Amino acid sequence: NAPTKTGAAAFILTLSSAKYGLLGKDRVKVSVGSVNLVIDSLNQYGYNIPVDSEEVERVEDDATLPGKALAINHLDCDKDGIPDYADGFDIVFDGVSQAATNASHNFVPVILEFATGIDITNAAVVFKGEFLSNPATDVIRSGNGTASSPYSYNITGGGRVRLWCGKNGSDSRCKASVTAGGDAILKDEAIPLYVLSPSNGVVRLYLEALGRSADIGDIRLGVELNPRGSISPSPISDWVRATVFEVEKVHPLNVDFTPGQEGKVLISAKHGGGYHTTNQTADARVRITASVKPIPTASSTNLVVYFEVTDPDDLSHYEGKSTPGTPNIQGDENPNDNRDTARRMTSGTGADYTAYQNACLTAIGRTSSVTATSQTAIAETTLLITDRYSGDNYQVRATTREPHSRGSFDSRTSWTTNAPHSASSIAESATMIAWKRVYIEQDNMYTLGATITANAPAGTTTLMVDSSADFGVGDAVVVFWPSGTFNTTITATNANLVIIANGLPQAVTPYAGIRPQVEPSTYTVDRRYLKQAFGDAPDGSDGGAFIEFMDAPTGSGKVPKYREFPNRQIQNKFVDYWFLNQIEINSNILYLLAAKKRTSGMLGVAEYARSQCIIFVDSNTGRQPDGSFVAADIQREETVVHEIGHRMGLIPKLGTAFEYIDTIRNQKLSHDGAEICIMSYDNFDNDTTEFSIECLLRGSMLNAQDSLRDANDQ
C-alpha cells in the first residue's frame, strides 16, 4: 500500500509451494518516513504552541471549517507609525532597516514534525499554499508622511499570509528565504531539511496574516517531505487550513447619518426631535457595530473584536486654530484635544489611555463576542460621549488582532505633528462630534390689540387693558388666553378699559389678550443668522459652536400686543404667562418673543433664569460706531443672535464689566477676520454675524458663572 502522511506502508508476506500450497502469511508494517503539520485548528491556544490530537487531525484540512482563526497583523506594536506587517524585519525605508525586536505583535505557531529516522542531510521539504507571500517583495509604501499625503503601507502580489522559520513577531527577522540565510519560508521552494535547524524531528514555524480571507478556510497550507531529496519517488504531505478574519466596517459611518448631518451626535435631543442617526440610542450614547468578514461559522463564534476610541483633531477654530482673515484654514493638527477632562487623553498610552477607554466605551468597552447571521457578523459596544462640551469628538476603531495588554492600537491613537502621518488599514467609524440642540418657542406679538392687566371673573363685561387705542365701539374682537378664545363685540372704551357685549365664559387673569377678529399682522423676526453665527458644518470647520436650533414642539405662536412694557417685572410676568415651555427652563428650550418696543434705543433683552430672549421689533433706533442711531431690518436679525448669545451665557456679568462685550476700546474680532464679534454692542451693521473665538469657546460648554448646572443645558 502507498505510504500515509505518517509514512507507514503495509506489506503482506506469504510463504507457499507448488506441492503443499500456502504455508504461511504475515502482515508487516514498515516506516519509510513521516511528516505532520500541527496548527491550532480548534482555536484553543491563541498565540501559544498548539497541541496535536486525533480531533485536530480530523478537522485540520476540512474545507467546511475555518481552521485556525487569524487576525491581520496591522497594529503598530512599537508605535513608530509603521504597521507591524511592514516592521520587525530588514525592509528598508528612507535608508533605515526596520529589523528590530519587539517591533511587531506575535504570530501563530505552526509545528512541523517528521520521523526522527529521516536523514536530514538528504531530505527536503517544499511548502505549498496559494496565498503564501514573500516578505522581500510584498510591501509597498507611498506618500510622504504629511497630513495631506500620509505614508500608506500595502501588501502587493496577492499574498495573505507569511511563514517564518523559528522567528516570532517579537523577534528581529530577515526577509530573505531560509535557503539564502534568511527567515522566510517561500512557497514551492525545495528546502533542505537541515536548513530548518530541526530539533528531535520538530521545526517551529510562525504564520503571519496579511490580508482577509475571501471564504472560510481558504488559506490552505501544506508541506511535502521528500526523504531522499529530489529523487524521492513519492513525497509525503500534510495540509492544514486557516481563515484570516478582519473587521470590515465600524458603524456609524457617514452614510448612517442624515445627509448633511454627518457625524452629529447630540448631547441632549429631548422633545421628540430625533437624532441624526439610528445608531444614537439615547442622549450622548451611540451604538457601535463592527462587522466581521468572512462570516464566522458556528465553530468560530467566539472570535473576539477589540474596540478602541480615539480623540482625533477637531476642525473647529477653538483656541486660536485659525488665522484671522482665513476662516477656512485650521491651525494645529493635534488630536487628544477634547475639553471634557473625564473623556480626554493626553498621551494615548498607559493609564491615561485606559481611563479614556473605560470612560467612553461600555463594559470596559473594547471586546464583544461576535454573533453570526446569514448576512454578516456583528460585534457591538456603546460609545459614551461628553454630557456638556459640544465640539468634543470621537472615533471608534475595531480589529480582530488583540493588542499587547489591550493597549493602544498604533501611533494614530496619539500622534502629534512631531510624528509622521500614516494611513491605517484598521477599520474605523465616522468621526463623531458632540452637538447641543436648542429648541426655540418663538411667539410673535400682534401689532393691534391689547393685553388684559387685571383679573376678569367669569361673566364680566369689563376688561382692564394696557391700552384701548386700537379699538372702537362696534369692533368685533377675540378675547384669548393660552387654552381658549371668546368672540364678542366692543360696546365702549376709555384709555385703559374696554366694555364687551357678552360676559366672559370663564375667568381670565392678567396677560390674557384681546384683538380684532380679523386677525392682524404680528411683529416678526427670523433666525436666518443663527447658522452663520453658531456654525452649520457638522465638523465645526466653519468655526461654529456646535449648537443647532429647532422649533419647540409646542408654543403659543401669537401673543397679545403690549403697548410698551413699563418695566422688566411686567415683561417677565408676560413671558411667564405665554411661554408654554416655562417648566423646561432648566433644559434646552428657550423663548424668543418678537415684541413692540420697550424703551427707545433698546433692540433686545435676555433673561437667563427665564430662558427668554425678547426682540423689540419696532424700536426705531440702533446705535452705530459713530454714535448715531439708524433703523435697519438687519439689526433685528442680528439682535436675535446677540440675545441668544446672552442666553447661552456668552457674556457673564463680572462685577460691573461684561467679559466679552466689545466696547471699541478692547476689540474682539470674529473668526471672519475684520468683523467684530456679534456680542459687541457696536456690531449691528452688516450681514456677517459671527462670534469671537472666546465666545465660540464659551458656547461649547457651560459657563462657570452659570447659576443653572443642568448638564444638558444649552
Side-chain angles (χ1 to χ4, degrees):
N1 298 329
T4 66
K5 78 171 186 177
T6 61
F11 297 89
I12 298 175
L13 304 180
T14 62
L15 179 63
S16 64
S17 73
K19 181 177 181 179
Y20 298 105
L22 180 64
L23 297 177
K25 181 179 181 181
D26 196 8
R27 183 181 180 90
V28 179
K29 194 173 184 180
V30 180
S31 178
V32 295
S34 65
V35 68
N36 187 26
L37 278 181
V38 182
I39 196 169
D40 182 19
S41 299
L42 297 177
N43 294 294
Q44 297 173 313
Y45 299 101
Y47 292 92
N48 297 317
I49 302 299
V51 176
D52 202 10
S53 67
E54 290 186 6
E55 186 178 7
V56 168
E57 292 291 337
R58 186 170 60 252
V59 303
E60 66 181 6
D61 192 25
D62 188 333
T64 67
L65 298 176
K68 178 60 179 178
L70 304 176
I72 296 175
N73 191 36
H74 58 182
L75 302 187
D76 180 8
C77 181
D78 57 359
K79 309 301 184 294
D80 63 353
I82 301 173
D84 288 352
Y85 61 74
D87 210 352
F89 63 100
D90 55 344
I91 188 172
V92 176
F93 298 125
D94 299 325
V96 178
S97 171
Q98 303 305 310
T101 58
N102 299 315
S104 168
H105 288 77
N106 280 333
F107 308 147
V108 168
V110 179
I111 304 301
L112 170 65
E113 299 176 336
F114 57 90
T116 56
I118 292 177
D119 182 359
I120 66 172
T121 61
N122 291 319
V125 291
V126 177
F127 287 88
K128 300 287 186 177
E130 176 186 359
F131 300 113
L132 203 55
S133 188
N134 183 351
T137 59
D138 60 9
V139 177
I140 57 173
R141 185 179 81 166
S142 58
N144 56 25
T146 64
S148 60
S149 178
Y151 289 132
S152 178
Y153 299 84
N154 295 282
I155 298 295
T156 186
R160 293 179 186 167
V161 293
R162 295 182 186 134
L163 193 61
W164 300 91
C165 181
K167 295 295 182 69
N168 207 339
S170 58
D171 299 318
S172 180
R173 306 177 302 285
C174 175
K175 65 180 183 292
S177 166
V178 290
T179 60
D183 301 310
I185 301 289
L186 305 185
K187 66 180 177 180
D188 300 329
E189 181 180 37
I191 305 171
L193 192 52
Y194 71 86
V195 170
L196 301 181
S197 301
S199 175
N200 296 320
V202 174
V203 177
R204 186 175 295 178
L205 310 170
Y206 290 94
L207 189 63
E208 176 187 10
L210 306 174
R212 186 179 81 204
S213 290
D215 298 295
I216 290 292
D218 67 349
I219 306 298
R220 191 166 185 251
L221 179 66
V223 61
E224 293 181 350
L225 171 64
N226 299 279
R228 298 176 60 190
S230 60
I231 65 173
S232 295
S234 179
I236 309 160
S237 65
D238 193 22
W239 293 82
V240 295
R241 289 182 182 266
T243 304
V244 181
F245 292 99
E246 181 184 31
V247 174
E248 180 189 37
K249 295 178 182 178
V250 180
H251 292 270
L253 298 168
N254 281 338
V255 295
D256 299 318
F257 289 86
T258 303
Q261 307 298 322
E262 291 81 1
K264 276 190 179 181
V265 175
L266 294 176
I267 292 174
S268 178
K270 294 189 176 183
H271 311 294
Y275 301 113
H276 296 298
T277 172
T278 56
N279 290 72
Q280 184 165 4
T281 57
D283 288 351
R285 295 176 67 92
V286 185
R287 183 180 67 255
I288 305 298
T289 61
S291 58
V292 177
K293 291 291 184 71
I295 301 172
T297 61
S299 63
S300 57
T301 53
N302 62 344
L303 189 68
V304 178
V305 169
Y306 301 90
F307 291 98
E308 175 187 73
V309 58
T310 63
D311 173 12
D313 179 46
D314 67 57
L315 298 180
S316 72
H317 297 266
Y318 291 172
E319 302 174 285
K321 289 189 176 183
S322 67
T323 303
T326 57
N328 295 321
I329 298 178
Q330 283 67 51
D332 69 43
E333 297 170 352
N334 290 322
N336 301 323
D337 53 0
N338 281 350
R339 300 195 61 81
D340 190 338
T341 56
R343 289 180 171 83
R344 179 177 66 197
M345 286 192 293
T346 56
S347 67
T349 59
D352 174 63
Y353 171 84
T354 301
Y356 181 59
Q357 304 304 308
N358 293 346
C360 295
L361 296 175
T362 56
I364 307 180
R366 296 170 301 174
T367 65
S368 177
S369 294
V370 174
T371 56
T373 69
S374 59
Q375 298 297 321
T376 188
I378 296 296
E380 291 189 354
T381 187
T382 298
L383 172 68
L384 309 175
I385 71 164
T386 179
D387 62 0
R388 61 174 53 195
Y389 291 88
S390 63
D392 280 4
N393 54 17
Y394 309 83
Q395 191 168 41
V396 179
R397 314 169 76 197
T399 177
T400 58
R401 168 75 243 199
E402 181 178 8
H404 284 326
S405 303
R406 306 287 175 84
S408 56
F409 287 0
D410 57 13
S411 61
R412 285 195 59 183
T413 303
S414 59
W415 59 260
T416 69
T417 51
N418 296 322
H421 291 67
S422 295
S424 171
S425 63
I426 301 171
E428 56 193 20
S429 70
T431 298
M432 289 166 280
I433 307 99
W435 273 71
K436 294 174 180 175
R437 176 179 287 169
V438 173
Y439 291 89
I440 298 178
E441 177 188 328
Q442 181 170 333
D443 290 344
N444 296 328
M445 183 178 285
Y446 283 116
T447 58
L448 296 175
T451 295
I452 295 170
T453 58
N455 288 321
T460 187
T461 58
T462 300
L463 302 177
M464 298 298 297
V465 294
D466 68 315
S467 172
S468 64
D470 294 334
F471 300 109
V473 175
D475 287 352
V477 296
V478 177
V479 180
F480 62 104
W481 54 96
S483 60
T485 62
F486 174 61
N487 291 347
T488 186
T489 304
I490 300 290
T491 60
T493 68
N494 67 24
N496 295 104
L497 182 146
V498 296
I499 307 297
I500 55 177
N502 311 100
L504 292 176
Q506 70 171 62
V508 297
T509 61
Y511 310 108
I514 181 170
R515 66 166 176 82
Q517 282 187 20
V518 176
E519 189 171 25
S521 62
T522 61
Y523 298 105
T524 60
V525 294
D526 63 44
R527 309 197 293 262
R528 56 180 166 154
Y529 291 123
L530 284 179
K531 286 185 178 181
Q532 182 189 91
F534 285 90
D536 189 39
D539 63 2
S541 55
D542 59 355
F546 305 95
I547 300 170
E548 66 177 22
F549 298 88
M550 293 183 65
D551 287 318
T554 59
S556 301
K558 299 173 182 178
V559 298
K561 176 183 176 182
Y562 209 116
R563 181 176 59 86
E564 184 174 315
F565 293 122
N567 53 55
R568 180 163 288 193
Q569 289 73 29
I570 296 298
Q571 166 195 297
N572 290 342
K573 289 179 179 180
F574 182 94
V575 167
D576 290 346
Y577 184 87
W578 288 103
F579 185 7
L580 297 191
N581 295 281
Q582 181 76 4
I583 60 172
E584 296 284 354
I585 63 170
N586 290 338
S587 181
N588 58 337
I589 190 164
L590 65 83
Y591 187 68
L592 177 63
L593 174 63
K596 185 175 170 61
K597 68 178 181 180
R598 189 177 95 179
T599 56
S600 178
M602 177 171 282
L603 298 177
V605 65
E607 287 274 355
Y608 188 93
R610 283 180 167 77
S611 195
Q612 72 184 43
C613 301
I614 301 177
I615 311 302
F616 298 106
V617 175
D618 72 341
S619 292
N620 58 6
T621 57
R623 189 172 66 179
Q624 299 300 294
D626 63 1
S628 64
F629 290 84
V630 298
D633 290 342
I634 192 173
Q635 291 176 316
R636 292 192 291 272
E637 321 313 339
E638 290 191 327
T639 299
V640 171
V641 175
H642 177 97
E643 298 304 334
I644 289 179
H646 278 296
R647 167 59 188 83
M648 304 301 284
L650 297 186
I651 302 181
K653 193 171 185 176
L654 303 177
T656 59
F658 288 91
E659 186 177 357
Y660 291 125
I661 290 182
D662 191 350
T663 58
I664 303 301
R665 174 186 66 225
N666 186 25
Q667 291 187 354
K668 290 182 172 64
L669 301 180
S670 76
H671 61 270
D672 181 57
E675 172 72 10
I676 299 173
C677 176
I678 187 62
M679 297 313 297
S680 167
Y681 284 142
D682 299 299
N683 191 43
F684 306 103
D685 55 1
N686 61 28
D687 59 356
T688 299
T689 305
E690 295 181 316
F691 294 114
S692 69
I693 295 297
E694 296 97 320
C695 283
L696 286 175
L697 183 58
R698 183 60 60 92
S700 76
M701 69 185 93
L702 283 180
N703 180 3
Q705 300 292 323
D706 293 343
S707 60
L708 298 176
R709 299 298 182 182
D710 189 316
N712 288 327
D713 193 32
Q714 302 186 33

